[in-house]
Amino acid sequence: MNTGTAMLASWNLDVPSLALLILVALIYLRGWLRGRRLIEFTEDQSRLAAFLGGLAVLFLALDSPLDTFDTLYLSTHMTQHLLLMMVAPPLLLMGRPMLPLLRGLPKWFVKEGLGPFLAWPRLRRVGRLLVFPSFAWGVYIASTILWHLPKFYELVLQSPFWHGVQHACFFWTAILFWWPVVQPTPGRPPWPRWTMIPYLLLADIVNTALSAFFVFSGVVLYPNYATLQGVSGASRDQALAGVIMWVPGSIAYLIPAIVLTFGIFSPAGSMPQRAIKRPPLSPRRRLPLPLLRRAAQLAMLVLAVVVIADGFRGAQVASLNKAGVWPWIYWRGLSVVALLAVGNLFCLACPFTLARDLARKIFPPRLRWPQRLRNKWIAAVLLALYLWAYEAFSLWDSPWLTAWLITGYFVAAILTDTLFRGASFCKYVCPIGQFHFISSLVSPGEIRVRKQDVCRSCQTYDCIRGNTHSRGCELYLFQPKKVGNLDCTFCLDCVKACPHDNVAYLPVMPASTLLSDPYRSSLGRLSKRNDLAALVLVMVFGAFVNAAGMVAPVIMWEHGLHARFGPQSLPWIIAVLVFSGIIAIPALITALCAALNRWAGLTIQSGLLQSVRRFVLSLVPLGFAMWCAHLLYHLATPFGVPDGMTGAQLLLLDAGLLLTLYVCWRIAQQSATKIHREFAVVVPWATLSCALYGLGVWILMEPMQMRGMMH
Amino acid sequence: MNILWVLLALAACLWGHGGVLLLHQQAGPYVVSLFSADAPLRAGSQDFTVLLQNAADGTPQLDANVTLIFRNSDAKEQIEARAGQSANKLLYAASAHLFTGVWNVTITIHSPAGFVATTKNSLTILDKQPPVAAYWPYFALIPAAILLFILNRHLKNRTRTVPH
């Protein structure tokens, strides 16, 4: 590779910044498309182009070779600063991003989260001051001069932290500076429009003086560059940097000044923009969802068969066997990614239900699931047993056992559902399904009705009864009364069955269905379900126990106990640790929290259990966050654990804790005996949540055993 | 006005940079510069990069074999730095696992013509930061979010109580 090719190939792709830029672009695009459905302005497309162009320039400044070489060459660094200060900010502002960005964000977030801040008069006053022309101009010029002083510039070249601060200062102050020039919001500007011409020209004078100093000073201003390039090389580089600052920099000020001048003297400049009414939208196009579901199930069935075959007949080394890698590394990781981003996609693509559907064609079920077993106890026990077996038999490490487990799953699903009607296996038995049901309470989407009014006038109830086109819900979820994702397999039967096209996958605020306790179709009130509370506790505490089983101090502790109690004791030690971790300790701690509330006479709940049942649901986000942090680590392992992995895991835990605390607080509001007592009610549960968070942080900080990948 | 706050949030992506000069010496016909991704250097895995320039005209050299040898009183670690492995394709990159203490680093360059050049320097590796110090922004996020939430509720309640 020659030097030129090497330089052009030196892209410094920073994943977090790239992800943020893409996210902002998507939010803007979503809002822009939504806006166009209502009304279209003639300037719409140029605004979109300007905003996306601004983001592209930011990408170029931050991730291209300009960024890679900025500590080696002053001229490169200067070009980067030019893009950050004079190109990206005006383009972004020309995109008039307020409405598109607000429209693109979830409504609940804008209304509940941002709304009070956006309407806060004090904040608005601060904002007005920041973009007041004299203030914005002063801050921008001060920042430009200050950061070019040798003392500060050398600090930037020596410290990545201060380098970031410098870039942030340049970008922020440039946003403020360009604000009065671009005027991205409607309303009367604080100064007449013509004043922007001297505003820009004065900035150009400062820019010219600074760049002339670079070109003509005759001394190397920044010794760090001289160290690498030698004095003569650094002098040439500095002069080039000065020219870049001078010529393109001046153009960046002069062009808008000229445009403004023409605008002021041209009568066309005062013409109002015209709005074009959009024709009515065409009817919603329906995707062949059931067909897509069948295709996904078929693909998963093929993968399951391959895993079983390799598990039985392949090399019995987990990292070399599909049964050791596919289910434990990829399937689990991708399932939580799907839950986090969309919803319960695993149940949608479940291969077991495809097998049982085929079996039902030969053996149609005749029995009804026994009344006494219509609860989650079997599933909770099976989930607890699975968590124990995972540790006791090192399931991740045994392709043979994994193959048996999946085969057993197929047999159980087929046997249960060829005997009993409905989706009895999914609803009452399947521990994987229950894990997904509980976790999907935190998902950002839900299958639900679009308009309740349409359902009120419905006489046929096809969503639950079915019709000639589709069967109704096999889990007995009546859509108008369905709240949240609990027990929903995302099978889309109700979507297909609804003759009014009134059932769809719609976005919801994560965990919003945990905030209240309404009657839920086929589930009743969650606060009256001991079985559900037990299931939630197993799922939440299981996240921490399962992850703790991988870290060195816990493994050493297990080995210590093993050595102390003898060679046959390991399965018993694991059983005691796992079952106390997921059953005994959670039961005791949550009972203690509820007892503290009752003892202080703080909650309206009459019994201890009722209080536990209501509050344990608030722990779901934290438990799910721990599962995500753990399983995403495994998912990343085959590709080499990325640098920011621990940070990403901590962010997930942070989000889980904050959501848990929020849900807890909302439940406390409904449970407190008196107004303003909710904080006292929250204390024991918030303490428990913070303790779990601390435990999660400790686990993530310890070195993890990369199960299934390295031995 | 609110747009300003939205745009200011964008600036968060302007963080994250790397490359601090640790050593700059002439070795035979080359000028050798050693960079580290972090400053100061701390115990654990550290990424190093080497820029090799022709001493006569300053042009980067991409066809040499570069070896980094880290030595202290108890240990020695020898790593081959490879070209094209870092974001900056002009640099030779290597990763070394170093513990706390003073280390001597020797950079040996084997040119394609068979010439060998060597340069040395010492590096001080500080103790690993405790997790709280290393990841403080992630922990600070929680009290910050709680404070914002309290402010949010306060503003919302105030809006409700103010008569229109």
Side-chain angles (χ1 to χ4, degrees):
Chain A
M1 192 186 283
N2 64 36
T3 309
T5 317
M7 286 183 85
L8 289 175
S10 297
W11 284 73
N12 184 20
L13 289 177
D14 178 44
V15 175
S17 73
L18 189 59
L20 189 64
L21 290 176
I22 292 171
L23 184 70
V24 172
L26 289 175
I27 292 171
Y28 184 93
L29 198 61
R30 184 172 181 240
W32 183 81
L33 288 170
R34 279 183 165 184
R36 270 173 72 93
R37 284 187 176 203
L38 303 171
I39 199 158
E40 185 186 4
F41 284 103
T42 46
E43 293 174 6
D44 260 2
Q45 280 164 359
S46 57
R47 285 179 191 170
L48 175 71
F51 190 80
L52 295 183
L55 291 180
V57 170
L58 271 184
F59 169 70
L60 205 65
L62 299 171
D63 290 340
S64 74
L66 288 176
D67 185 62
T68 310
F69 292 104
D70 62 1
T71 48
L72 298 182
Y73 303 103
L74 178 60
S75 49
T76 316
H77 210 173
M78 193 61 80
T79 311
Q80 187 190 30
H81 292 170
L82 207 74
L83 295 179
L84 285 176
M85 298 167 79
M86 297 177 192
V87 185
L91 281 175
L92 290 172
L93 292 174
M94 282 161 70
R96 300 206 169 188
M98 185 174 82
L99 269 181
L101 286 180
L102 290 179
R103 274 200 194 115
L105 287 166
K107 275 183 190 166
W108 58 264
F109 180 70
V110 173
K111 192 180 167 197
E112 295 292 323
L114 294 180
F117 293 109
L118 297 179
W120 190 15
R122 202 167 288 178
L123 199 64
R124 294 171 82 96
R125 275 202 296 276
V126 172
R128 273 197 294 273
L129 168 73
L130 286 176
V131 296
F132 195 74
S134 54
F135 182 86
W137 193 92
V139 168
Y140 175 75
I141 296 297
S143 161
T144 308
I145 293 173
L146 201 74
W147 281 113
H148 283 101
L149 294 177
K151 189 178 176 184
F152 293 113
Y153 205 96
E154 283 291 299
L155 176 69
V156 162
L157 296 177
Q158 294 294 331
S159 156
F161 173 79
W162 286 108
H163 205 151
V165 174
Q166 185 202 41
H167 283 180
C169 278
F170 282 159
F171 180 77
W172 286 33
T173 55
I175 287 281
L176 302 182
F177 173 81
W178 287 103
W179 186 283
V181 179
V182 180
Q183 281 293 330
T185 48
R188 215 180 67 169
W191 284 5
R193 203 79 186 111
W194 66 267
T195 53
M196 288 304 107
I197 297 166
Y199 178 91
L200 287 163
L201 293 179
L202 283 171
D204 186 36
I205 289 170
V206 176
N207 182 66
T208 303
L210 199 58
S211 43
F213 191 69
F214 277 108
V215 176
F216 301 119
S217 67
V219 290
V220 176
L221 293 170
Y222 311 123
N224 207 67
Y225 289 118
T227 311
L228 290 169
Q229 301 174 45
V231 174
S232 61
S235 290
R236 281 196 301 274
D237 184 37
Q238 185 177 299
L240 178 62
V243 170
I244 291 168
M245 193 180 190
W246 200 336
V247 181
S250 287
I251 290 172
Y253 294 119
L254 293 177
I255 286 180
I258 294 166
V259 170
L260 278 170
T261 312
F262 275 106
I264 287 164
F265 292 109
S266 158
S270 59
M271 277 179 69
Q273 55 180 222
R274 281 187 301 168
I276 304 165
K277 284 260 180 189
R278 302 276 299 173
L281 293 170
S282 54
R284 203 175 280 116
R285 207 162 44 128
R286 295 181 70 162
L287 289 168
L289 291 175
L291 204 67
L292 290 175
R293 185 190 181 217
R294 281 291 182 229
Q297 281 183 305
L298 198 63
M300 288 292 284
L301 185 64
V302 170
L303 293 179
V305 171
V306 172
V307 165
I308 292 171
D310 205 32
F312 282 134
R313 308 192 64 173
Q316 291 302 307
V317 179
S319 55
L320 302 176
N321 194 298
K322 291 178 180 65
V325 176
W326 286 8
W328 301 116
I329 306 291
Y330 297 122
W331 169 73
R332 290 195 307 172
L334 292 172
S335 288
V336 294
V337 169
L339 282 164
L340 203 59
V342 185
N344 187 359
L345 292 190
F346 171 72
C347 287
L348 180 147
C350 176
F352 309 122
T353 48
L354 179 63
R356 68 104 209 238
D357 280 351
L358 295 173
R360 273 180 167 182
K361 291 194 185 299
I362 306 163
F363 306 106
R366 297 183 191 285
L367 303 174
R368 298 190 67 176
W369 186 256
Q371 186 77 35
R372 283 190 178 182
L373 299 179
R374 287 181 194 173
N375 50 52
K376 302 287 186 190
W377 285 115
I378 294 176
V381 170
L382 286 175
L383 186 60
L385 283 174
Y386 156 75
L387 290 171
W388 164 74
Y390 184 81
E391 296 296 331
F393 302 112
S394 302
L395 292 180
W396 76 91
D397 202 22
S398 171
W400 187 77
L401 278 178
T402 304
W404 268 117
L405 188 70
I406 300 171
T407 310
Y409 230 99
F410 273 109
V411 172
I414 291 169
L415 274 180
T416 309
D417 282 351
T418 48
L419 279 175
F420 301 102
R421 279 179 277 176
S424 302
F425 182 76
C426 305
K427 195 171 176 76
Y428 304 116
V429 181
C430 177
I432 300 176
Q434 307 308 320
F435 173 85
H436 284 82
F437 292 157
I438 303 281
S439 300
S440 61
L441 289 168
V442 191
S443 295
E446 186 187 331
I447 305 283
R448 64 187 170 101
V449 296
R450 293 179 201 273
K451 291 177 182 167
Q452 285 288 350
D453 290 347
V454 177
C455 293
R456 274 187 214 112
S457 61
C458 177
Q459 301 290 315
T460 52
Y461 310 130
D462 298 32
C463 59
I464 193 159
R465 286 182 182 163
N467 53 32
T468 49
H469 296 100
S470 174
R471 65 187 173 198
C473 182
E474 286 198 301
L475 289 101
Y476 313 118
L477 298 171
F478 181 47
Q479 277 297 331
K481 296 275 180 193
K482 176 178 172 282
V483 180
N485 284 324
L486 215 54
D487 274 11
C488 179
T489 57
F490 276 51
C491 66
L492 308 172
D493 286 341
C494 53
V495 177
K496 192 182 172 194
C498 179
H500 311 289
D501 192 20
N502 195 37
V503 183
Y505 173 82
L506 297 170
V508 289
M509 176 193 150
S512 58
T513 52
L514 294 172
L515 301 179
S516 57
D517 186 30
Y519 174 84
R520 296 168 199 241
S521 174
S522 134
L523 289 159
R525 287 185 199 281
L526 300 189
S527 64
K528 295 189 174 174
R529 298 281 302 264
N530 288 331
D531 53 335
L532 265 171
L535 185 65
V536 167
L537 282 181
V538 171
M539 179 265 186
V540 170
F541 282 78
F544 294 89
V545 169
N546 191 253
M550 293 181 55
V551 297
V554 176
I555 293 169
M556 296 296 286
W557 186 45
E558 278 177 6
H559 287 315
L561 290 172
H562 184 202
R564 190 171 164 190
F565 291 110
Q568 304 300 321
S569 62
L570 193 61
W572 297 104
I573 290 168
I574 289 174
V576 169
L577 292 180
V578 170
F579 289 125
S580 58
I582 61 174
I583 297 173
I585 293 173
L588 277 174
I589 294 177
T590 50
L592 182 69
C593 290
L596 280 172
N597 279 164
R598 274 198 78 203
W599 173 71
L602 293 169
T603 55
I604 54 168
Q605 273 88 9
S606 52
L608 204 69
L609 267 177
Q610 199 185 353
S611 186
V612 170
R613 288 190 299 248
R614 188 75 188 92
F615 276 95
V616 289
L617 292 169
S618 67
L619 299 174
V620 170
L622 187 57
F624 178 59
M626 189 65 208
W627 277 113
C628 285
H630 173 185
L631 298 180
L632 290 182
Y633 178 85
H634 286 300
L635 188 63
T637 309
F639 311 102
V641 179
D643 284 343
M645 192 67 209
T646 308
Q649 288 176 305
L650 288 175
L651 272 183
L652 278 169
L653 266 193
D654 286 353
L657 176 66
L658 289 170
L659 206 49
T660 282
L661 291 176
Y662 176 66
V663 175
C664 200
W665 178 73
R666 289 291 297 267
I667 294 174
Q669 275 189 318
Q670 297 151 25
S671 306
T673 47
K674 287 181 184 170
I675 298 173
H676 302 310
R677 283 269 181 98
E678 64 262 26
F679 289 107
V681 175
V682 158
V683 168
W685 299 99
T687 310
L688 170 61
S689 310
C690 291
L692 282 175
Y693 171 82
L695 178 64
V697 169
W698 177 76
I699 291 169
L700 296 180
M701 293 292 165
E702 292 296 324
M704 278 201 174
Q705 185 190 36
M706 295 182 198
R707 292 175 170 180
M709 293 311 297
M710 290 171 74
H711 294 273
Chain B
M1 186 52 50
N2 306 325
I3 182 184
L4 181 64
W5 306 112
V6 179
L7 278 175
L8 290 186
L10 263 179
C13 69
L14 300 181
W15 294 88
H17 219 270
V20 175
L21 183 66
L22 299 175
L23 176 156
H24 180 77
Q25 284 173 3
Q26 183 156 354
Y30 299 117
V31 175
V32 183
S33 305
L34 176 69
F35 299 89
S36 75
D38 300 317
L41 294 170
R42 295 204 173 264
S45 185
Q46 285 292 344
D47 293 329
F48 294 96
T49 46
V50 177
L51 173 65
L52 204 60
Q53 291 168 288
N54 190 325
D57 57 8
T59 51
Q61 301 295 300
L62 301 174
D63 51 0
N65 289 322
V66 178
T67 309
L68 301 178
I69 303 164
F70 295 91
R71 275 198 197 91
N72 79 352
S73 50
D74 304 321
K76 177 186 170 187
E77 190 167 357
Q78 181 169 330
I79 310 142
E80 192 180 342
R82 294 176 186 279
Q85 297 294 306
S86 65
N88 187 339
K89 305 293 181 217
L90 297 183
L91 304 180
Y92 296 80
S95 188
H97 199 87
L98 305 175
F99 49 83
T100 311
V102 178
W103 292 74
N104 286 315
V105 57
T106 307
I107 304 172
T108 309
I109 302 121
H110 295 263
S111 75
F115 188 83
V116 180
T118 303
T119 182
K120 287 181 183 179
N121 203 349
S122 68
L123 302 174
T124 304
I125 308 290
L126 304 180
D127 281 334
K128 204 171 187 172
Q129 278 188 308
V132 175
Y135 293 100
W136 68 266
Y138 298 98
F139 302 124
L141 199 68
I142 292 167
I146 292 173
L147 281 176
L148 275 177
F149 177 72
I150 292 169
L151 185 61
N152 174 299
R153 292 289 114 176
H154 169 72
L155 291 171
K156 209 167 181 181
N157 289 340
R158 209 175 60 164
T159 315
R160 277 193 199 125
T161 51
V162 172
H164 293 284

